[in-house]
Amino acid sequence: MAKLSLWLLTPAKDQPFEFLDHTLRCGDALVGLHSLDQLKFYRMQPEQDAEARFFGSWLEGVDEAIKLRLELKGLPAMTVEAVEQQERLALAAADKLARLRCAADVLVAAALGAESAGERVARTQEAAQWARG
């Protein structure tokens, strides 16, 4: 629905309907992570002196996803082929982040599902163990 609404309001009526796919994301814009440090330290409010829980191979996909998204952003969406290329790049970038996205979802669920600070810490530690597998 959001895509249709944006497409109807845009002056780019001559472009394929799908040219907005890579700019729209599903999710709750009010709740979630806003910093990679939140995942690195696996805390909603990371403290820099805390022990990093996720690093190395866990975060490698982020740089790769950024490169793919920048490549995607530079492509014009004037043809169906270009839109298909954008879709391939968007899917590849999402694939690079799938594991981190799951870990982020578990962190947010653990933090929001707790009724006290102590329970939040316990749930977050348990979630970190689960996410690292």
Side-chain angles (χ1 to χ4, degrees):
M1 203 62 175
K3 184 168 60 169
L4 175 61
S5 178
L6 287 171
W7 185 73
L8 290 173
L9 295 174
T10 185
K13 302 276 191 269
D14 58 328
Q15 292 187 5
F17 184 66
E18 293 81 16
F19 84 105
L20 293 168
D21 284 355
H22 68 282
T23 58
L24 297 174
R25 307 245 186 349
C26 294
D28 189 334
L30 301 176
V31 178
L33 304 186
H34 61 276
S35 165
L36 193 54
D37 280 346
Q38 289 173 292
L39 269 178
K40 183 178 178 183
F41 297 102
Y42 216 67
R43 300 174 67 126
M44 293 300 288
Q45 296 179 351
E47 299 166 7
Q48 295 303 325
D49 59 340
E51 176 188 350
R53 296 177 188 231
F54 295 95
F55 47 86
S57 64
W58 266 88
L59 301 178
E60 287 172 5
V62 174
D63 290 335
E64 295 172 23
I66 289 171
K67 288 177 188 174
L68 290 167
R69 296 288 298 178
L70 289 172
E71 184 180 341
L72 184 157
K73 185 177 178 184
L75 289 176
M78 303 303 268
T79 65
V80 172
E81 292 80 19
V83 170
E84 289 172 349
Q85 176 64 11
Q86 285 181 333
E87 183 178 9
R88 282 191 294 276
L89 289 170
L91 289 172
D95 186 53
K96 299 286 182 192
L97 299 176
R99 187 174 175 193
L100 283 177
R101 184 177 305 277
C102 182
D105 289 345
V106 171
L107 172 59
V108 171
L112 294 178
E115 294 185 18
S116 68
E119 184 182 355
R120 187 175 306 113
V121 169
R123 282 181 178 233
T124 301
Q125 289 174 343
E126 183 179 309
Q129 291 296 328
W130 177 87
R132 283 193 285 189

